[in-house]
Amino acid sequence: MSTEHAPARTRHSTAPGDPRITVAVITRDRAASLLRTLDALAALPERPPVVVVDNSRDDTTRRAVTGHPAITRLLRPAGNTGALGRNLATRHARTPYVAFSDDDSWWEPGSLARAADLLDRHPRLGLLAARTLVGDEAAEDPLNAVLAASPLPPEPDLPGRPVLGFLGCACVVRKEAFLGVGGYHPLLFFGGEETLLAYDLAAAGWGVAYEPTLCARHHPGDHTRAGRSALVRRNHVLTTCLRRPWPVALRAGTGLALAAATGRPGAPRALKEAVVRLPAALARRRPLPPHVERAARLLDREATGHPREGTTP
């Protein structure tokens, strides 16, 4: 159950915004960073409604942001929802499209309107992955090059490059498609959760595409969550168990077991948590349809280097 807090102030402008798109923001114990994000979103020409899911442990964030002119709805779940907060925010959105931000990311002016235009023109398009620029210096996120080099063949009814991954704080979804596949999977909770959503969208017939004319800004600062690498390792194994053929899942599990045996940071915890969740993963196993598995295998073969785990192109 969640509680809602309406903003106490009106927006900076009374000009109409784009009625097609909402921004969903998840946050946890980062009030100062969230305020910066909200200020940036409030200044966008699209003036999107913003739904914030506050996973914080106390009322500090709520007190800091209540009444901010960007916020349309503030949701406070009873406990930390992780990435599933995006599911909650999307269910509360009243627009056909939803853009995701974290409390340290926002959108460049005009990008949301362009995303809505592309979704209007391409009815099979379920998710758009944006280009991400990092920090004050606007450095290219390494994932941009990985997505741009996707080996998947172009699809005539989709814009950009077909992909099977994205960055969670730099994407726009069609609400119907996102909720139709269940959004982010509850078994993963947080950490490298994007790949499974991309698989499920593609399996349901929706297009997933990288479009570099859309741009998100990411200012991660010095607040990386402790234990994130373990969550990403765990969820990589669980994702393969949930959707990929058994040889792929066994390779992923064996790799994690070897990493744990050699003391790789985060690997023992990841292995323990993956084993605990394995029965639930097996009960929910639903292998990808052949055409999506072929695409996933092509990405496996073509991958060079080590792109960010959980964000396979």
Side-chain angles (χ1 to χ4, degrees):
M1 180 179 294
S2 64
T3 58
E4 299 182 17
H5 299 268
R9 301 197 301 265
T10 58
R11 292 176 177 266
H12 291 304
S13 169
T14 58
D18 193 315
R20 299 172 293 175
I21 193 161
T22 295
V23 176
V25 181
I26 56 173
T27 186
R28 181 169 176 256
D29 300 326
R30 294 176 181 168
S33 182
L34 176 60
L35 283 168
R36 182 180 187 181
T37 289
L38 293 174
D39 288 345
L41 294 174
L44 292 177
E46 296 94 337
R47 297 183 55 251
V50 178
V51 178
V52 175
V53 177
D54 179 16
N55 288 320
S56 300
R57 291 167 290 187
D58 57 36
D59 285 343
T60 302
T61 299
R62 179 188 63 80
R63 291 196 299 267
V65 305
T66 294
H68 192 285
I71 296 179
T72 303
R73 186 167 292 178
L74 176 61
L75 305 173
R76 300 199 69 226
N80 182 11
T81 61
L84 303 184
R86 298 182 184 125
N87 300 357
L88 176 63
T90 301
R91 288 195 295 270
H92 281 82
R94 298 180 179 178
T95 57
Y97 312 134
V98 178
F100 293 126
S101 291
D102 287 346
D103 51 23
D104 58 3
S105 68
W106 55 87
W107 292 87
E108 284 277 277
S111 286
L112 296 180
R114 286 195 293 275
D117 289 343
L118 289 169
L119 287 157
D120 283 347
R121 291 200 296 265
H122 301 276
R124 193 172 69 84
L125 181 60
L127 183 147
L128 278 165
R131 178 175 170 232
T132 308
L133 301 179
V134 181
D136 292 331
E137 65 276 18
E140 295 278 346
D141 189 294
L143 185 62
N144 296 338
V146 175
L147 296 174
S150 170
L152 300 182
E155 299 184 39
D157 61 340
L158 297 179
R161 301 281 303 192
V163 292
L164 282 179
F166 56 93
L167 189 61
C169 66
C171 69
V172 182
V173 300
R174 188 183 300 274
K175 179 179 177 181
E176 173 193 1
F178 180 83
L179 294 181
V181 300
Y184 286 100
H185 200 287
L187 190 60
L188 303 191
F189 186 73
F190 189 77
E193 67 275 6
E194 298 94 342
T195 297
L196 183 55
L197 176 60
Y199 284 167
D200 287 348
L201 286 168
W206 296 103
V208 181
Y210 172 61
E211 178 48 69
T213 64
L214 311 180
C215 187
R217 300 296 299 268
H218 189 201
H219 284 247
D222 298 321
H223 49 228
T224 301
R225 299 290 187 193
R228 178 176 175 82
S229 65
L231 297 179
V232 171
R233 286 177 177 272
R234 178 196 77 190
N235 288 344
H236 172 65
V237 171
L238 292 175
T239 295
T240 62
C241 290
L242 283 161
R243 298 291 182 264
R244 301 296 304 276
W246 285 121
V248 178
L250 289 173
R251 282 197 299 272
T254 300
L256 179 56
L258 290 173
T262 56
R264 294 285 296 275
R269 174 189 168 185
L271 179 61
K272 179 180 178 180
E273 294 186 0
V275 170
V276 168
R277 289 163 175 77
L278 184 59
L282 297 180
R284 301 181 185 189
R285 178 172 166 80
R286 189 173 70 247
L288 296 174
H291 72 283
V292 182
E293 176 56 32
R294 285 194 296 270
R297 285 181 179 274
L298 177 60
L299 293 167
D300 291 344
R301 289 196 303 267
E302 294 292 324
T304 57
H306 299 281
R308 186 177 308 174
E309 290 182 73
T311 48
T312 306

